[in-house]
Amino acid sequence: MGVLNLGTVALDGTKIHANASRHSALSYEHAGKLEAQLKAEVEELLARAEAADKADVPDGMSIPEELERREHRLKKLAEARARIEARASERFAREQAEYEAQIAAREAKTKASGKKPRGKPPSPPTAGPGPSDQINLTDEDSRIMPVAGGGFEQCYNAQAVVAADSLLVVAVDLVQAANSLPSRKRRAIIDENESVPPFRKKMRIFNMIKEPR
């Protein structure tokens, strides 16, 4: 149709607010503390239930209802921690593969040149979730991100590739990374989009993002 003459393209991103509050986010460390606290409360309630002296039970308090409420919260916390652990496992597998590839490249370079590569060798990734790894209990796919104007919100990072001449959007993506996408990811957005013609390899991609948003 002659509408799109793809040559120079530009990529930019913006934060899209998730339908969730950042106050619904729960860190792995805090979830562990809440879990320990609730387990202690459950033990205390069970001890009260077994006590013969009912005077120890405050007026209007239903021990079965209190136990049920805490058991429900414990179940939700366990599910949240399990999802954080699964994410950490996936991250470790990805980072381990990248680490091994970097080590192999350094070893190949050393073998080819006979000299030790410059620079500090890459550090191996750490397995398991970190204390600050988080999950949002309302929208677990969203992430806390810095936003324009300052502050942090529960967001997604939307990316769009636009043809410079026609201003037509040729590729889009929605990611969970708060920072600007690395160059290989930018190219992947275009390469994986079926609407981009075969001569896409000749395109020059300009990063329009100067600061993380």
Side-chain angles (χ1 to χ4, degrees):
M1 296 177 61
V3 176
L4 179 62
N5 183 17
L6 195 60
T8 299
V9 298
L11 184 147
D12 200 0
T14 186
K15 301 300 190 305
I16 304 296
H17 285 248
N19 188 23
S21 169
R22 63 186 176 89
H23 299 294
S24 297
L26 181 68
S27 72
Y28 189 76
E29 182 179 44
H30 188 56
K33 292 179 180 178
L34 288 177
E35 193 173 44
Q37 176 185 335
L38 287 170
K39 287 181 178 179
E41 290 177 3
V42 168
E43 291 297 325
E44 181 183 352
L45 287 169
L46 289 174
R48 284 188 176 185
E50 293 176 358
D53 187 2
K54 298 299 182 181
D56 292 337
V57 180
D59 292 339
M61 179 182 184
S62 172
I63 291 181
E65 290 179 1
E66 294 294 329
L67 282 171
E68 183 180 2
R69 184 167 65 87
R70 285 164 176 76
E71 291 289 356
H72 178 73
R73 291 188 63 190
L74 280 170
K75 180 181 177 181
K76 291 297 182 182
L77 285 172
E79 292 173 353
R81 283 170 61 87
R83 288 195 292 269
I84 294 176
E85 290 167 357
R87 285 183 185 175
S89 179
E90 293 174 0
R91 181 181 64 217
F92 175 76
R94 181 175 63 253
E95 292 177 349
Q96 182 67 22
E98 294 175 354
Y99 167 75
E100 292 175 357
Q102 291 172 355
I103 292 296
R106 287 177 63 90
E107 292 176 349
K109 188 174 181 179
T110 300
K111 185 176 180 180
S113 64
K115 299 179 181 179
K116 184 178 179 180
R118 294 182 179 181
K120 187 179 179 181
S123 300
T126 303
S132 61
D133 285 358
Q134 295 183 343
I135 189 170
N136 190 281
L137 301 179
T138 304
D139 182 357
E140 64 181 66
D141 293 325
S142 62
R143 299 290 187 272
I144 291 180
M145 301 182 184
V147 294
F152 295 83
E153 295 294 342
Q154 202 73 30
C155 296
Y156 292 92
N157 192 350
Q159 304 283 316
V161 178
V162 179
D165 294 334
S166 64
L167 300 182
L168 292 176
V169 177
V170 297
V172 295
D173 197 11
L174 192 67
V175 300
Q176 298 165 324
N179 296 329
S180 304
L181 295 176
S183 58
R184 61 183 176 182
K185 177 60 177 175
R186 294 190 187 103
R187 292 191 179 277
I189 292 175
I190 298 175
D191 292 343
E192 294 173 1
N193 192 284
E194 296 179 356
S195 65
V196 179
F199 53 86
R200 59 183 176 268
K201 292 183 179 180
K202 297 181 180 179
M203 295 185 301
R204 292 185 297 131
I205 299 179
F206 290 95
N207 177 19
M208 304 300 290
I209 308 175
K210 300 305 180 184
E211 297 291 340
R213 298 182 180 181

